[in-house]
Amino acid sequence: MNDKIEKILFTEEEIKARVAEMAKEINDYYKGEPVVVISVLKGSVFFVVDLIKKLDMDIALDFIAASSYGSGTVSSGKLKIKKDIELDIVGKNILLLEDIIDTGETLFEIINMLKARGVKSIKTAMMFNKPARREKAVEADFIGFDIPDEFVIGYGLDYDEQFRNLPYLGVLKRSVYEK
Ligand code: 5GP
Ligand code: MG
């Protein structure tokens, strides 16, 4: 284990097993209808790659980037779209993938923006959910794991752009960011 990690919340195997279950839930929901998967960069790239290999409907894939925490561990509360999607999504079923839902701000803003473009439907899948910190009235349709209110890293999630490559979800030692 990386020496900056306090503890592991979910191992690589546990995440893999849960992603497979989520794929089944999503396949059962769409029943073969085509879907445009939109992955929120950069955190959800591990999740999207693992998940869509197991989806059995026709999938188009696109990416969107919104501003995040910068190098801090507390949300700044202002969301900016840094990179928009490229596909035309009018009349399409959208499945929006995020790494984690915390206050709900990111999801809330992106959902509203995509809805305004005349999509047929929009559903959301989050790998991790921190229900304790929700501020916006927005919920994910498919959730991997609920987690406690701790700053987590790994499986795509970063602290100051580091630790995304860890295959597990871990809690960072406070000494790494409290100096
Ligand atoms: P929200 O807008 O729901 O407050 O936050 C969503 C975004 O904040 C996520 O996409 C992620 O980038 C970041 N975030 C929220 N909680 C955590 C966390 O515990 N660890 C990391 N690395 N990022 C987080
Ligand atoms: Mg981030």
Side-chain angles (χ1 to χ4, degrees), residues 47-106:
F47 178 37
V48 70
V49 167
D50 288 347
L51 181 81
I52 68 174
K53 284 184 280 186
K54 297 183 182 302
L55 296 183
D56 56 19
M57 67 291 263
D58 289 342
I59 296 288
L61 175 62
D62 209 339
F63 295 92
I64 192 167
S67 59
S68 66
Y69 289 180
S71 62
T73 58
V74 178
S75 180
S76 67
K78 265 269 163 277
L79 187 104
K80 280 194 220 74
I81 300 298
K82 292 194 289 196
K83 182 219 168 290
D84 204 346
I85 54 169
E86 292 164 11
L87 297 175
D88 178 0
I89 55 168
V90 175
K92 301 286 171 68
N93 297 307
I94 307 301
L95 180 64
L96 183 64
L97 298 198
E98 249 284 50
D99 48 4
I100 187 166
I101 176 169
D102 185 19
T103 63
E105 184 73 35
T106 307

Side-chain angles (χ1 to χ4, degrees), residues 93-147:
N93 297 307
I94 307 301
L95 180 64
L96 183 64
L97 298 198
E98 249 284 50
D99 48 4
I100 187 166
I101 176 169
D102 185 19
T103 63
E105 184 73 35
T106 307
L107 203 59
F108 181 82
E109 297 290 337
I110 296 176
I111 289 172
N112 285 344
M113 188 187 93
L114 297 175
K115 265 187 186 162
R117 297 185 187 176
V119 301
K120 179 177 177 191
S121 70
I122 180 159
K123 294 282 166 190
T124 59
M126 309 294 115
M127 192 62 230
F128 304 107
N129 176 36
K130 262 193 221 173
R133 289 188 17 100
R134 196 79 80 257
E135 288 170 12
K136 291 282 181 183
V138 54
E139 289 308 323
D141 298 294
F142 304 98
I143 288 174
F145 295 105
D146 283 346
I147 63 166

Side-chain angles (χ1 to χ4, degrees), residues 32-51:
E33 275 210 51
V35 172
V36 178
V37 170
I38 300 179
S39 158
V40 183
L41 293 171
K42 304 172 192 169
S44 74
V45 290
F46 281 52
F47 178 37
V48 70
V49 167
D50 288 347
L51 181 81

Side-chain angles (χ1 to χ4, degrees), residues 42-43 68-70 99 151 156-158 161 164:
K42 304 172 192 169
S68 66
Y69 289 180
D99 48 4
F151 190 76
L157 287 148
D158 73 305
E161 293 302 328
R164 293 192 197 276

